[in-house]
Amino acid sequence: MEKIELIATTTFGLEAVTKRELIDLGVEDINVENGKVYFTGTLRDIARANIWLRTAERVLVKMGEFKALSFEELFEKTKALPWEDWIPEEGNFIVDGKSIKSQLFSISDSQRIVEKAIVERLKTKYPIEWFKKSGPRYRVEVALLKDIATLTIDTSGEGLHKRGYRDRAGDAPIKETLAAAMVMLSYWNKDRVLLDPFCGSGTILIEAAMIGKNIAPGLDRKFDAENWDVVPSSYWSEEKIEAMRKIDHDSTLHLLGADTDKRSILRARDNAANVGLEDDIAFFMKDMRDVDLQEDYGVVITNPPYGERMGEREEVELLYKDFGKKFRELSTWSIYAITSNERFEELYGKKADRKRKLYNGRIKVDYYQFYGPRPE
């Protein structure tokens, strides 16, 4: 098995960032669609992509893609795929499904047909009638979109945003993958000051610290494919050893997190300590209006309250006005804020240099980017 087709799934709007990450990893034949980045790789790339991708949600093996207008067609074309190359006799294969604008709209029936087809295919290699499914997990998905069926196996297991450091999250946590993307889409680098004045449980700053120190986001967690016979265990150990070797232990970071909630600050400190970054980020309890900023050429990246609930909107809009008064006059700073409030530029008091549509969970948001000058 030399070359295989893989898919890195992403939040809508982050495909280009994930593509850039894959280019940096040296993979080939990259193609982008909504929420998916297709690429050609090797078995080792399964380990490398899971360990290193900061902005992807999952890494999938693409088993096949075909038109399916009937359940008979879905069964026969699924059965024709080489499932035995991946799933062993004791493999615990579970079939998930989704259907959008397709004649085969019954998700449960599609799942049942695909599972039956996989069983029939595996019987051609394993001389048994009943599969106990007592071994490693293989999450198969049948995704039907406009009558095209795409069949994949998930190599990641838990979503890649679950780095393992966030034991305690706040009331409105931002996904680690989105936080990393916000940093990667900014002008921040490890030599510049970074402030999050609404830091919550510290996710944006922890992701920035991991980028600044070149800490692989998947270094301290497990993946489903680590238990698969088809992917040699040596690939995982070698890639993790290489990732540890690449950590920059010498850089000094200037990361600041403020919040008015004491519990959030305590959570943030605990989360940073879980990655060994407690000395790299200063978390303190303070209203953003009172934060003292003395450095030039700093960067603000933040996820302020959105005011989605009734009764909160007026309070949040006042907060945005004060946020603008505080930061828009900092001529050498670059300011980045993500929010679902469509009046943000008006309330902030300045038009953004760039606005990017993203999603924070299921909430459609805009990432407002106000560029400062390059440091001298």
Side-chain angles (χ1 to χ4, degrees), residues 2-197:
E2 294 183 0
K3 293 290 184 179
I4 52 180
E5 288 188 89
L6 298 167
I7 305 171
T9 63
T10 74
T11 299
F12 287 111
L14 297 185
E15 298 90 347
V17 187
T18 302
K19 177 183 177 181
R20 195 185 315 151
E21 288 192 86
L22 287 167
I23 291 171
D24 291 342
L25 289 178
V27 302
E28 304 171 346
D29 303 326
I30 303 174
N31 293 296
V32 175
E33 291 184 7
N34 286 339
K36 293 179 180 179
V37 184
Y38 294 82
F39 63 102
T40 302
T42 63
L43 291 172
R44 183 179 287 276
D45 287 322
I46 291 176
R48 184 177 291 128
N50 274 296
I51 291 168
W52 277 105
L53 289 179
R54 299 183 189 278
T55 62
E57 294 299 317
R58 296 180 182 277
V59 177
L60 312 176
V61 175
K62 181 183 173 185
M63 294 296 296
E65 189 170 275
F66 49 80
K67 193 168 188 177
L69 298 175
S70 68
F71 288 126
E72 181 180 0
E73 195 172 15
L74 178 63
F75 176 85
E76 292 298 337
K77 291 181 177 179
T78 299
K79 185 182 174 183
L81 299 175
W83 297 100
E84 70 280 2
D85 289 350
W86 294 90
I87 303 175
E89 182 177 329
E90 72 283 358
N92 180 20
F93 56 95
I94 304 158
V95 181
D96 296 323
K98 58 184 178 184
S99 179
I100 302 172
K101 298 180 180 178
S102 296
Q103 290 191 36
L104 303 181
F105 58 84
S106 172
I107 296 172
S108 58
D109 285 336
S110 298
Q111 290 173 261
R112 180 175 52 82
I113 293 295
V114 167
E115 181 171 4
K116 183 178 178 182
I118 294 173
V119 167
E120 292 303 313
R121 175 73 187 207
L122 293 179
K123 282 181 180 179
T124 63
K125 180 172 182 178
Y126 309 119
I128 57 174
E129 287 298 315
W130 179 258
F131 290 87
K132 295 180 180 180
K133 297 187 177 183
S134 58
R137 180 172 63 174
Y138 295 78
R139 289 185 61 240
V140 176
E141 182 182 73
V142 50
L144 291 150
L145 175 61
K146 296 180 181 178
D147 297 323
I148 301 298
T150 303
L151 288 146
T152 58
I153 306 177
D154 178 12
T155 72
S156 303
E158 296 286 346
L160 294 182
H161 69 280
K162 294 190 176 180
R163 319 287 207 216
Y165 64 76
R166 201 163 71 175
D167 294 337
R168 303 166 68 190
D171 296 330
I174 191 169
K175 263 189 176 182
E176 294 90 330
T177 44
L178 179 56
M182 290 170 65
V183 175
M184 295 168 74
L185 287 167
S186 77
Y187 281 166
W188 180 77
N189 62 55
K190 62 182 180 181
D191 298 320
R192 301 182 72 173
V193 174
L194 174 60
L195 167 69
D196 182 356

Side-chain angles (χ1 to χ4, degrees), residues 19 51 77 99 117 123 147 159 229 251 275 287 291 306 330-331 342:
K19 177 183 177 181
I51 291 168
K77 291 181 177 179
S99 179
K123 282 181 180 179
D147 297 323
D229 292 337
S251 290
V275 206
D287 190 294
V291 174
Y306 297 171
L330 295 175
S331 59
E342 296 181 355

Side-chain angles (χ1 to χ4, degrees), residues 32-33 61 69 74 160 210 217 238 244 294 334 340 359 369:
V32 175
E33 291 184 7
V61 175
L69 298 175
L74 178 63
L160 294 182
M210 292 175 73
E238 289 165 5
M244 292 181 68
Q294 298 178 345
S334 294
S340 63
Y359 281 85
Q369 303 171 54

Side-chain angles (χ1 to χ4, degrees), residues 224-283:
D224 274 6
E226 282 190 75
N227 300 314
W228 298 357
D229 292 337
V230 68
V231 184
S233 59
S234 61
Y235 289 177
W236 295 96
S237 58
E238 289 165 5
E239 289 300 322
K240 288 189 176 184
I241 289 170
E242 178 66 8
M244 292 181 68
R245 188 186 67 79
K246 289 182 175 179
I247 295 175
D248 178 2
H249 295 283
D250 299 324
S251 290
T252 300
L253 304 178
H254 308 278
L255 307 178
L256 308 171
D259 204 285
T260 56
D261 182 57
K262 182 178 180 180
R263 291 175 303 170
S264 294
I265 294 298
L266 294 175
R267 290 189 193 105
R269 289 173 179 168
D270 286 349
N271 292 337
N274 286 337
V275 206
L277 294 170
E278 63 270 29
D279 295 331
D280 296 282
I281 312 171
F283 291 108

